[in-house]
Amino acid sequence: MGMLENDWLYAMEEEFKKPYYRELYKFIVEEYKTHVVYPPSDDIFNAFHMTPLSKIKVVILGQDPYHEENQAHGLSFSVPESQKVLPPSLVNIYKELNSDLGIEIPKTGYLNKWAGEGVLLLNTVLTVRAHEAFSHANHGWEEFTDAAIRAVNKEDRPIVFMLWGKPAQKKMSMLDNPKHMVLTSSHPSPLSAYRGFFGCKHFSKANEFLEEHGIRGIDWNPVD
């Protein structure tokens, strides 16, 4: 399952010593032995590896990883470059991006450029059995990612949190640092996008907030 690198290791090292994490580790190792599990084990911590704690400008919280083949690779809402069919939630994110900032809808769903720009693309659960949504919920990942969210909340600089949908919005009570901005809307899934995600303008609002505080905004175009 690998370990964290960069400054996340120092922020999260106490979590690795806790009983819940030992149980989670045993569970995950057994799951990878006995089932098809996504993402590939080397990709579980990609959100942390690609976006060091000290570089975060924006946090986008997802739920659990995509559970179909060749989709999940450790960044919430993102899919590998080889994936030609984009998941419906990501299609809706791109529609809002186009409406908000005029960015042409990309053909790729690979969001590593966002991660490199300082967007932490974090799921609240980091693994899933193939074809079984939420199958790894309530085994300890939530406690681990809550600790990560608390670590970001403690950062002494302006950061934007985008909480899309009710599961993400349950994290609001942790976000008590007045330096940060919290944006909420419905989830971008086809079931709920029309209930407030479309038209939320979170991408432009995030950049306005960052730039007001002297921080370079995010280049939200996923394509170079």
Side-chain angles (χ1 to χ4, degrees), residues 69-83:
E69 186 178 4
N70 195 35
Q71 289 188 327
H73 68 110
L75 303 180
S76 63
F77 297 106
S78 181
V79 292
E81 285 183 289
S82 59
Q83 179 59 255

Side-chain angles (χ1 to χ4, degrees), residues 61-192:
L61 278 182
Q63 296 177 34
D64 69 337
Y66 297 126
H67 52 82
E68 299 301 333
E69 186 178 4
N70 195 35
Q71 289 188 327
H73 68 110
L75 303 180
S76 63
F77 297 106
S78 181
V79 292
E81 285 183 289
S82 59
Q83 179 59 255
K84 301 307 180 190
V85 179
L86 303 189
S89 291
L90 183 55
V91 170
N92 286 339
I93 289 169
Y94 281 171
K95 286 179 181 176
E96 176 59 22
L97 191 61
N98 174 258
S99 169
D100 186 10
L101 294 175
I103 292 172
E104 186 176 342
I105 294 177
K107 292 184 169 60
T108 178
Y110 191 47
L111 301 180
N112 70 319
K113 186 181 165 196
W114 286 8
E117 285 273 319
V119 182
L120 180 67
L121 295 162
L122 182 66
N123 282 314
T124 54
V125 175
L126 300 187
T127 55
V128 67
R129 276 189 198 176
H131 320 304
E132 295 183 44
F134 302 111
S135 48
H136 286 182
N138 304 312
H139 285 279
W141 277 132
E142 294 89 346
E143 191 165 346
F144 184 81
T145 55
D146 280 359
I149 294 165
R150 284 193 292 270
V152 180
N153 179 64
K154 287 179 189 171
E155 289 291 287
D156 189 30
R157 65 183 195 283
I159 293 171
V160 181
F161 290 82
M162 297 183 183
L163 307 182
W164 298 338
K166 289 179 182 173
Q169 288 164 24
K170 287 179 181 175
K171 310 300 182 185
M172 279 187 71
S173 60
M174 293 184 224
L175 305 178
D176 57 3
N177 186 333
K179 293 203 168 182
H180 303 328
M181 178 188 225
V182 180
L183 299 171
T184 62
S185 78
S186 63
H187 194 273
S189 81
L191 297 173
S192 57

